[in-house]
Amino acid sequence: MTPSGILLLIIIYFGTLFIISNRVSKNDNGNAAFFSANKNSKWYLVAFGLIGTALSGVTFISVPGEVGSPSGEQFKYFQFVLGNMLGFLVIAKILLPLYYRMNLTSIYSYIEQRMGFYSYKTAASIFLISRTISSAFRLYLVIIVLQRYVFDFYQIPFAVTVLISLLLIFSYTYRSGLKTIIITDTLQTFFLVTSVFLTIYFICDSLDFGPIQAFNEVKNSNYSKIFFFDDFLGGKFHFIKQIIGGMFVTIAMTGLDQDLMQKNLSCKNIKEAQKNIYTFTVLFVIINIFFLSVGALLYLYAEKYGIAVPLDAITQKPRTDLLFPEIALNHLSTIPAIVFLLGIIAATFATTDSALTALTTSFCIDFLEMDKKEEGEQKKAIKIRHIVHLSFSLLIFIFILFFNAINDSSVVAMIFKVASYTYGPLLGLYAFGLFQKNKVVKDRWVPYLCVISPIFTYLISENSFYLLGGYVFDNELIVVNGLLTYLGLYAISTRTTETIRF
């Protein structure tokens, strides 16, 4: 597929999103529509749209690429997905009822009522930092692909590509925010899911595989091992580590994350929100099975036709997350290339537009207190919200340029490594609030504790081989971070005679 054809596809794609945005926001672009979609979202639309938000371009490119990683990962990611499934059940049964019972717009308002002002601002700040970093990572991954296969052809600088991408997202989200995203993410998830199934079809067709033969070839290949039970101490792929890591990363990065919870809180009531989570969980597990299958088929295709894993332009090391775009855009026909592009664009921009809305919501409510403004101040508040929305777009722009200058490792590994340190204190804060009903913390000390805990977590991780008899941490490191925060909160708390009911 030519760069001009790809560029035309991108223009048509964003033109469609812009038309939808205009129609949705035509009669309602107030703060209630932006922050909570007027609490009137259909649960099945939210459930389906969450697929695109939760998966992102990381899943679309890096997960299939990691299947054939030299480290021998194969299908080990599915262990992590099973842990995700358990985490979603915890969210549905424990966190969602809490948020609905307290009628929250920003989920960090719980921390304010439970622990106090400084704890509240700390929790909201952790989210703003964490989500900005992770969103920049995800968008960076896709822009690398667009730059390599499209914009380099026109000699457009990387920074300009990033700026154009963010301006496009800003253009269809700044008016009605969540109300628009519920609709656009449903469309983008449709493109994402369709592209996964069609990609499998096109690769199988190129390999002359029927459905049964494709299943057997993947099953009997060197890429399909799912469960790893050997080397519990020194291995990162062990089943227990992946399950625990997947579960707690999901609780922290979804259940304690304003981005994904904001959509769930836009449903009419708790029952519809829970139906949304249960439906989403089933779809999430199934889609990830197919993503891993795409990875195995890509490597079988590469072996048959002698295609090498592309090299990083800077480090000249193999980049497994570039194998999918390399095959789709340079070795398959035009239709598969279009399908791939629609999938990767949908996956990544569905995540970024949602993140921008959540970042804006959190800052406007948790720091500017827009939910407490009088009705007469709403017009001024909308203008301020637009400025905040644009500011976060520019902040992500800066982060992406920074990552481009220093990046030298797998995007998947980096995202979850960063999350282990930034989301861990949130895990500890909410766990303490929920399980220590007779304890009140010294609120002013909490910000310091939430900085100290990640530092100690890092030191433990770096020295675990010597301190813990050869143990090596993976995603379960977030549990250590959360536990250190929890114990720290316990140490700076005092007992109260009254039982706290929320």
Side-chain angles (χ1 to χ4, degrees), residues 56-73:
S56 82
V58 173
T59 307
F60 198 87
I61 297 178
S62 290
V63 169
E66 292 291 342
V67 167
S69 171
S71 58
E73 299 201 15

Side-chain angles (χ1 to χ4, degrees), residues 374-440:
E374 297 293 333
E375 190 171 333
E377 298 178 276
Q378 286 303 306
K379 285 187 177 180
K380 182 180 178 181
I382 290 172
K383 290 182 179 179
I384 294 172
R385 190 195 76 211
H386 290 166
I387 294 172
V388 172
H389 201 60
L390 180 60
S391 298
F392 275 110
S393 300
L394 294 175
L395 186 59
I396 290 176
F397 170 74
I398 293 169
F399 268 107
I400 290 174
L401 295 186
F402 175 71
F403 297 147
N404 188 54
I406 66 169
N407 179 54
D408 188 23
S409 60
S410 167
V411 176
V412 172
M414 282 193 294
I415 286 177
F416 288 120
K417 185 175 182 180
V418 169
S420 296
Y421 292 104
T422 57
Y423 278 87
L426 280 180
L427 197 60
L429 284 168
Y430 278 82
F432 184 88
L434 289 168
F435 299 122
Q436 293 295 333
K437 298 293 189 181
N438 297 105
K439 291 279 188 176
V440 177

Side-chain angles (χ1 to χ4, degrees), residues 45-61:
L45 291 180
V46 176
F48 191 66
L50 272 173
I51 295 294
T53 303
L55 293 179
S56 82
V58 173
T59 307
F60 198 87
I61 297 178

Side-chain angles (χ1 to χ4, degrees), residues 205-408:
D205 185 60
S206 298
L207 294 170
D208 295 322
F209 290 167
I212 296 176
Q213 184 182 1
F215 174 81
N216 288 328
E217 290 288 341
V218 170
K219 179 182 176 182
N220 297 325
S221 71
N222 296 323
Y223 307 110
S224 61
K225 183 178 179 181
I226 298 176
F227 300 108
F228 294 75
F229 294 101
D230 53 334
D231 195 13
F232 174 73
L233 290 177
K236 292 186 175 183
F237 302 166
H238 195 279
F239 177 77
I240 293 176
K241 292 184 179 182
Q242 292 296 315
I243 287 286
I244 293 174
M247 178 177 175
F248 283 95
V249 164
T250 297
I251 293 171
M253 293 185 68
T254 301
L256 308 181
D257 183 283
Q258 177 65 25
D259 185 0
L260 285 110
M261 284 297 97
Q262 187 170 353
K263 292 184 177 181
N264 288 282
L265 295 177
S266 70
C267 294
K268 291 181 180 179
N269 52 55
I270 180 61
K271 289 185 177 179
E272 292 209 350
Q274 287 176 324
K275 281 194 293 185
N276 151 51
I277 286 289
Y278 297 142
T279 304
F280 161 73
T281 301
V282 173
L283 293 173
F284 179 82
V285 172
I286 293 172
I287 292 298
N288 272 289
I289 292 173
F290 283 100
F291 269 115
L292 291 166
S293 300
V294 167
L297 290 169
L298 284 171
Y299 280 98
L300 290 172
Y301 185 94
E303 287 176 3
K304 181 175 180 178
Y305 294 103
I307 302 170
V309 175
L311 302 178
D312 186 273
I314 299 174
T315 65
Q316 292 301 301
K317 294 180 180 179
R319 284 285 303 267
T320 58
D321 49 20
L322 290 178
L323 181 63
F324 193 177
E326 173 67 24
I327 290 176
L329 297 176
N330 287 340
H331 296 275
L332 297 177
S333 61
T334 301
I335 298 300
I338 292 174
V339 166
F340 166 79
L341 280 169
L342 285 174
I344 187 177
I345 292 170
T348 300
F349 289 101
T351 303
T352 309
D353 60 23
S354 178
L356 270 176
T357 301
L359 289 166
T360 301
T361 299
S362 177
F363 191 84
C364 288
I365 290 179
D366 297 325
F367 291 93
L368 302 182
E369 300 183 343
M370 283 191 182
D371 56 329
K372 300 175 183 177
K373 300 291 184 185
E374 297 293 333
E375 190 171 333
E377 298 178 276
Q378 286 303 306
K379 285 187 177 180
K380 182 180 178 181
I382 290 172
K383 290 182 179 179
I384 294 172
R385 190 195 76 211
H386 290 166
I387 294 172
V388 172
H389 201 60
L390 180 60
S391 298
F392 275 110
S393 300
L394 294 175
L395 186 59
I396 290 176
F397 170 74
I398 293 169
F399 268 107
I400 290 174
L401 295 186
F402 175 71
F403 297 147
N404 188 54
I406 66 169
N407 179 54
D408 188 23

Side-chain angles (χ1 to χ4, degrees), residues 10 13-14 17 52-53 56-57 138-139 142-143 146 161-162 164-169 172-173 181 184-185 188 341-355:
I10 293 171
Y13 182 87
F14 278 101
L17 295 183
T53 303
S56 82
R138 290 179 167 101
L139 186 56
V142 173
I143 290 177
L146 294 177
T161 305
V162 178
I164 291 171
S165 301
L166 286 166
L167 287 175
L168 286 170
I169 295 170
Y172 72 86
T173 57
I181 285 171
T184 56
D185 279 6
Q188 295 188 107
L341 280 169
L342 285 174
I344 187 177
I345 292 170
T348 300
F349 289 101
T351 303
T352 309
D353 60 23
S354 178

